[in-house]
Amino acid sequence: MIIVYFAKDKLTLTNHAGNTKLAKLVCCGASAIVQCAISWFKKTDIKLTKNDKIPLLSIELINRSINNQNLLNLIFKQLLALKKQYSRYITIKKGKR
């Protein structure tokens, strides 16, 4: 199951959704949401952490401007929409990992 940790200045995805076709698609969807959204930020405004072995993908705001916080919230809302459709494969927890 994908676990999304969300805090005011950080969003982290970890784990895999599973090995079924649908689970793999959900995993791809979650990754696509976050990977595409990374381009919204200036490189100097975030700390990006990736680890394919765990797996883990994390965006932490260095510049906590209102704009950057809004962008991080938008990513979270997109992941919430994914969770509504596929709650068996993704869970969301408040707070940092």
Side-chain angles (χ1 to χ4, degrees):
M1 176 177 279
I2 298 169
I3 302 171
V4 177
Y5 295 92
F6 180 73
K8 183 178 179 180
D9 61 348
K10 187 173 182 179
L11 182 120
T12 302
L13 275 76
T14 189
N15 294 345
H16 277 294
N19 290 321
T20 67
K21 278 186 179 181
L22 183 56
K24 289 177 182 179
L25 286 172
V26 172
C27 211
C28 287
S31 292
I33 288 168
V34 177
Q35 292 283 1
C36 290
I38 289 168
S39 67
W40 299 344
F41 298 94
K42 293 179 184 175
K43 290 181 181 182
T44 55
D45 286 354
I46 61 170
K47 177 183 175 188
L48 184 62
T49 305
K50 294 182 184 180
N51 186 332
D52 292 333
K53 292 180 181 179
I54 296 177
L56 177 116
L57 179 59
S58 179
I59 300 172
E60 185 170 3
L61 298 180
I62 294 169
N63 176 353
R64 294 182 179 98
S65 70
I66 296 297
N67 186 55
N68 286 340
Q69 289 178 23
N70 287 339
L71 291 173
L72 198 66
N73 281 325
L74 183 56
I75 299 167
F76 177 67
K77 287 178 183 178
Q78 291 174 330
L79 292 168
L80 272 177
L82 187 65
K83 182 190 183 308
K84 277 187 177 182
Q85 292 293 316
Y86 303 103
S87 60
R88 179 176 172 193
Y89 302 102
I90 186 168
T91 188
I92 295 178
K93 298 183 178 187
K94 295 281 186 162
K96 293 183 183 182
R97 178 177 188 267

